[in-house]
Amino acid sequence: MKLHHSTGAIAFLLATPLVTGLTVGIAPSSAAIIAGSAAAVTLDNFSHRPTEIGTFTNTYTQTIANTGSVISQANADAVFISNCHELLAANLSQSGVIGSGNNYSGLAQSQAAVIGDFSIKAKETFSFTVQTMLHLLTSVSNPQSERASATGSISFALIDTVSNILLDSFQFGIGLHSFKAPELSLSYNLAGNFNPTQINFAFLAQGNTTSLSLYTSGVYSRTFDSTTNLKLVEVKNNIAGAQAQPVPQAEPVPEPTTILGTAMFFGFLTKRRKLKNQLSEVKSKV
């Protein structure tokens, strides 16, 4: 991604879901589990230009395959553009696990953040607009022996860097858990001067496949009585997990019916260049 792209183009690239080219073939007699979690955020229309900016990304994957195969993938990207022509912060994180067989587990975690320091004079109003998208997917072939889970969260915080006081915050999270029966979780916390202007929630369940999407947009605006040094921190976390365990059988049973599985893998953009600060550099700024 090149920094001379327009802000609209960058926001579109970071917020548009794409199916990756990774396709895993599942043997006719095996089961498939899919778990995916992805999120994207764009911040723009800032009233003030930041005095300092930073980004942070982190990923982690784990796989254990005793009988079967499992793939875990995690990606995270973040960018904060602040020059004479453009002012935009955006980040993307995605986690996905897909497996086949009857005894394995997989875990994928991703995190992305953007950080900006701002100097606000007395009686000035600091503001910016926000767009967020969070998408989850779980799919199992045998709910009695397979588990798929996907969770995602997005949080915002405005901190007075002189007093180290949290001034405003906004966070929400969603989760999907497929084991015997699908379960849905939703958490939401709004404190301060965030004003959501649009919230779209979509839930779809078809057979043992479940997807959940949450889109929000809004505005942050606050007028300060005195000169204030602000730190804006936006963080997203995405976790996907899949597990299959053999089902104990007390007596011989007939040969199971052949199951034809078509593997789907959930993903956003991959092979994206990580920008700005590494983990240690960002931790020192928060």
Side-chain angles (χ1 to χ4, degrees), residues 19 40 67-68 85 131 134 145 148 169 181-182 186 203 210 229 231 242-243 246 254 269 273 279:
V19 177
T67 304
H85 301 294
Q131 292 186 73
L134 193 56
S145 61
S169 63
L186 174 65
F203 175 77
T210 307
N229 293 323
K231 183 181 293 291
Q243 182 181 17
L269 295 174
R273 184 164 55 126
L279 172 60

Side-chain angles (χ1 to χ4, degrees), residues 209-226:
T209 299
T210 307
S211 65
L212 177 63
S213 298
L214 178 63
Y215 169 83
T216 70
S217 61
V219 177
Y220 174 84
S221 179
R222 176 168 179 159
T223 302
F224 292 86
D225 295 330
S226 58

Side-chain angles (χ1 to χ4, degrees), residues 41-255:
V41 170
T42 59
L43 309 174
D44 55 9
N45 295 320
F46 286 93
S47 60
H48 294 68
R49 191 166 294 274
T51 58
E52 190 171 359
I53 58 176
T55 63
F56 159 61
T57 60
N58 190 31
T59 61
Y60 172 79
T61 60
Q62 180 182 5
T63 58
I64 301 174
N66 297 315
T67 304
S69 63
V70 60
I71 298 175
S72 297
Q73 178 177 310
N75 297 289
D77 299 279
V79 59
F80 205 136
I81 302 174
S82 176
N83 54 41
C84 59
H85 301 294
E86 298 176 323
L87 181 54
L88 169 76
N91 54 13
L92 164 74
S93 58
Q94 62 155 350
S95 302
V97 179
I98 181 169
S100 64
N102 57 17
N103 192 357
Y104 63 86
S105 64
L107 176 68
Q109 298 177 333
S110 57
Q111 185 180 62
V114 292
I115 302 109
D117 290 334
F118 299 85
S119 180
I120 314 300
K121 296 180 180 179
K123 305 305 179 181
E124 288 186 343
T125 299
F126 175 66
S127 64
F128 59 88
T129 59
V130 181
Q131 292 186 73
T132 74
M133 183 174 64
L134 193 56
H135 183 73
L136 309 179
L137 170 70
T138 61
S139 180
V140 298
S141 297
N142 186 350
Q144 300 304 313
S145 61
E146 300 171 353
R147 299 172 184 261
S149 64
T151 61
S153 64
I154 300 175
S155 64
F156 299 85
L158 271 297
I159 304 167
D160 186 325
T161 58
V162 176
S163 62
N164 202 30
I165 294 177
L166 177 64
L167 302 176
D168 295 299
S169 63
F170 169 47
Q171 59 184 358
F172 60 88
I174 56 177
L176 280 179
H177 307 277
S178 296
F179 178 59
K180 295 185 178 179
E183 295 182 1
L184 166 67
S185 62
L186 174 65
S187 62
Y188 180 88
N189 181 31
L190 174 63
N193 295 273
F194 285 94
N195 179 29
T197 56
Q198 185 178 3
I199 300 177
N200 293 331
F201 184 84
F203 175 77
L204 177 64
Q206 184 175 5
N208 296 322
T209 299
T210 307
S211 65
L212 177 63
S213 298
L214 178 63
Y215 169 83
T216 70
S217 61
V219 177
Y220 174 84
S221 179
R222 176 168 179 159
T223 302
F224 292 86
D225 295 330
S226 58
T227 300
T228 305
N229 293 323
L230 281 179
K231 183 181 293 291
L232 166 65
V233 181
E234 182 272 315
V235 183
K236 62 175 55 59
N237 291 278
N238 296 92
I239 303 175
Q243 182 181 17
Q245 295 179 336
V247 178
Q249 298 177 352
E251 58 184 22
V253 296
E255 186 70 18

Side-chain angles (χ1 to χ4, degrees), residues 253-275:
V253 296
E255 186 70 18
T257 303
T258 297
I259 301 174
L260 178 61
T262 302
M264 299 178 299
F265 190 84
F266 176 82
F268 271 47
L269 295 174
T270 57
K271 297 182 180 179
R272 186 183 295 273
R273 184 164 55 126
K274 296 181 180 179
L275 302 175

